[in-house]
């Protein structure tokens, strides 16, 4: 299963693609979409949407994972982040892909084993887990982290599914 | 020129289509996209994106007008509104349509003539200006209002353009 993790932002949107083969996680690609060159805010959203649409067309993920944001500095930054997130999610749902949302706590627990992990610990762990030559760009690393979180969660759901596999 | 006005919201997204023929404004259609039946938030965004994409394909507007939101009750509602707005704007920019943003003040001034107008005044004025049989649904009326604002603004730009039409 190929999983695309996304860390949306109105200036930088990180992405990370991993493949889950049994219990192994394999790094496929990661990077960031920079929107600062856009002439206005709607064009930034277009860059996010088109950038992710291209990535989805190239890597054909079966699932998209995004971190669920509950907090923002203020309403203005929440509006900007929200619009970036909306553009990112539409790139996935408009081609029929399921979007899974995880809290920052769930991501840290999945990657480091504790919800109290520091950001740098998560980055180091992602580097180690996925055998990256170096720590990935910050937003790309966050995107890989939520993809790893989904991979673990999918594992757990599969185990629980087989444990509680009742006749219907 | 056909103008599509949009009033994005995560539960209800209003839209209004007008045609500007010289100085005359002609009502073409208005309505609202309801997303409450969606099974999760990403599916709501999908409904907004698909609904507006269908409307754009049917009515082929040359411009999209959206009210610019600066204030929101809190960061959480700003995030929801932002995502709806992002999905709506992507429906336009992904097919190459220009998106124009206006503040609530600009919309009220354009429709009623004063930025201190009440919401019901704006609704009544839209009904009168566009010869509607009755006041449109609230979000659809807001969408028509921002479309009218763009039509007036486009007028003004054309006048200014011809006044300052210097040799290049």
């Amino acid at each position: 299963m190929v999983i695309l993790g996304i860390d949306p932002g109105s200036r930088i949107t990180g992405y990370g693609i991993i493949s889950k083969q049994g219990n192994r996680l394999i790094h496929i690609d990661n990077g960031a979409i920079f929107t600062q060159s856009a002439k206005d805010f709607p064009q930034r959203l277009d860059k996010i949407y088109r950038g992710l649409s291209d990535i989805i067309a190239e890597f054909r993920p079966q699932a998209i994972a995004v971190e669920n944001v509950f907090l923002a500095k203020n309403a203005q930054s929440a509006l900007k982040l929200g619009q970036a997130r909306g553009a990112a999610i539409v790139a996935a749902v408009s081609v029929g892909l399921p979007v899974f949302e995880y809290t920052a706590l769930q991501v840290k627990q999945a990657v480091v084993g504790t919800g109290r992990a520091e950001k740098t610990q998560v980055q180091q762990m992602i580097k180690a887990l996925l055998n990256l030559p170096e720590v990935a760009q910050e937003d790309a690393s966050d995107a890989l982290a939520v993809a790893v979180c989904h991979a673990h969660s999918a594992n757990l759901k599969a185990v629980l599914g087989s444990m509680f596999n009742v006749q219907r």
Side-chain angles (χ1 to χ4, degrees), chain A residues 97-112:
Chain A
L97 286 173
V99 175
F100 298 87
E101 300 181 282
Y102 297 95
T103 64
L105 188 74
Q106 286 175 309
V107 173
K108 286 178 179 176
Q109 275 172 339
V111 175
V112 187

Side-chain angles (χ1 to χ4, degrees), chain A residues 8-66:
Chain A
S10 62
R11 288 193 286 183
I12 307 174
T13 289
Y15 65 88
I17 302 144
I18 60 171
S19 171
K20 179 166 141 40
Q21 299 179 0
N23 281 325
R24 281 179 63 212
L25 295 184
I26 295 160
H27 173 254
I28 296 179
D29 197 15
N30 77 78
I33 299 164
F34 295 87
T35 68
Q36 287 98 322
S37 68
K39 71 175 171 56
D40 58 21
F41 201 85
Q43 290 303 320
R44 286 193 181 202
L45 301 182
D46 193 40
K47 275 189 186 281
I48 295 169
Y49 172 81
R50 279 182 208 269
L52 291 176
S53 294
D54 288 349
I55 289 160
I56 288 168
E58 184 178 350
F59 296 100
R60 305 191 168 278
Q62 280 99 51
I64 313 287
V66 190

